[in-house]
Amino acid sequence: MGAGHAHKLYRHGHTPVHELPPHCKLAAVLCFVVAVVSTPREAVWAFALYAALLAAVAAVARISPGFLLKRLVIEVPFVAFALLMPFVVPGEQTELLGVSVSVPGLWGAWNVLAKGTLGVAASVILASTTELRALLLGLQRLRLPPLLVQIASFMIRYGDVISDELRRMSIARRSRGFEASGVRHWGVLAKTAGALFIRSYERGERVHLAMVSRGYTGTMPVIDEVTATRTQWAHAAALPVLALVVCLLGWTV
């Protein structure tokens, strides 16, 4: 899969969470999210327990609350959507802070915020304790279609390549005295985008030819075989199993 590839979310460490095999963590997060989504929205206490479980995992992984909260900013668009629901969803009305809002809309907003925030937090913890290369190996180990794994791998690597290319083009523009300050400069920015696309396409062709010349036939060689012991699976299963118990209690209590 190539050399190790770190990302901005990753926090280097040697905690029990970091040392779990990536496919164990991927399976655990997926099962946890399924349990959270399956929980009835009326079971407010259940979501508090889910948050406590994630807080415990973050503490074991030595991820600070500040770091986690900063990364949760990515869900701001969903928060904005949820805040509109009490005003646009029809149904029984109630008073909240002197404003008439929809009861079904309030429940819908709570449902989106609670489940979305927990899902994003679980994903941030996963990304903070697992390198991108390890995530790809984990997906491969979980028998995700090889073509999808390759697409994800190339996307991750070419994302950085294209970002670097765009940065160099931006430096070149500024060195020539160009500063985008209004609508009249949109034409220059559009030409930049077109040039970036052409350069990226040509680079991709060169890389593909180089891979074919080295024997690439459509599948990537597996350099590292990632395995997990029963103990590691048991440790990874602790989070989703506890979440499943909470989910079942949410439907019965």
Side-chain angles (χ1 to χ4, degrees):
M1 298 296 293
H5 189 97
H7 55 88
K8 294 180 180 180
L9 285 179
Y10 180 70
R11 309 283 287 182
H12 182 73
H14 299 285
T15 68
V17 180
H18 283 79
E19 294 173 357
L20 282 176
H23 53 292
C24 295
K25 289 187 278 189
L26 283 166
V29 169
L30 175 61
C31 294
F32 173 81
V33 171
V34 170
V36 170
V37 172
S38 303
T39 304
R41 61 189 184 183
E42 293 79 9
V44 177
W45 58 268
F47 297 100
L49 290 180
Y50 291 141
L53 289 175
L54 288 181
V57 174
V60 173
R62 297 177 184 174
I63 299 174
S64 65
F67 176 85
L68 188 59
L69 290 174
K70 287 180 181 178
R71 298 310 183 269
L72 289 179
V73 174
I74 194 174
E75 69 165 343
V76 167
F78 298 97
V79 173
F81 169 76
L83 293 178
L84 289 176
M85 293 181 69
F87 302 99
V88 298
V89 175
E92 179 186 352
Q93 298 291 309
T94 186
E95 291 288 332
L96 181 65
L97 300 177
V99 180
S100 179
V101 294
S102 165
V103 174
L106 285 175
W107 279 116
W110 159 253
N111 193 50
V112 172
L113 286 175
K115 295 180 179 180
T117 301
L118 290 169
V120 172
S123 301
V124 170
I125 293 174
L126 172 65
S128 301
T129 57
T130 316
E131 293 183 354
L132 281 177
R133 175 175 174 272
L135 285 174
L136 294 173
L137 291 173
L139 293 173
Q140 194 174 49
R141 184 67 179 175
L142 291 175
R143 299 293 187 267
L144 193 74
L147 185 59
L148 293 181
V149 177
Q150 289 186 53
I151 291 173
S153 175
F154 292 141
M155 180 185 69
I156 290 168
R157 284 158 176 78
Y158 276 98
D160 287 343
V161 172
I162 293 173
S163 297
D164 289 340
E165 189 72 35
L166 182 60
R167 180 180 56 81
R168 288 193 292 269
M169 294 173 69
S170 177
I171 293 174
R173 289 200 310 267
R174 291 198 299 269
S175 68
R176 290 166 174 79
F178 175 81
E179 288 291 341
S181 58
V183 177
R184 66 179 184 277
H185 293 136
W186 284 7
V188 177
L189 298 178
K191 292 177 182 178
T192 299
L196 178 64
F197 172 78
I198 294 173
R199 291 186 184 183
S200 302
Y201 185 83
E202 292 176 344
R203 184 188 292 266
E205 283 189 326
R206 292 195 298 270
V207 172
H208 180 258
L209 289 174
M211 292 171 63
V212 171
S213 67
R214 288 165 174 78
Y216 175 73
T217 59
T219 58
M220 298 293 288
V222 179
I223 300 176
D224 296 328
E225 186 66 25
V226 182
T227 59
T229 64
R230 291 184 179 181
T231 301
Q232 289 174 321
W233 273 114
H235 290 165
L239 176 65
V241 168
L242 291 174
L244 177 60
V245 172
V246 174
C247 178
L248 294 176
L249 290 175
W251 282 103
T252 56
V253 173

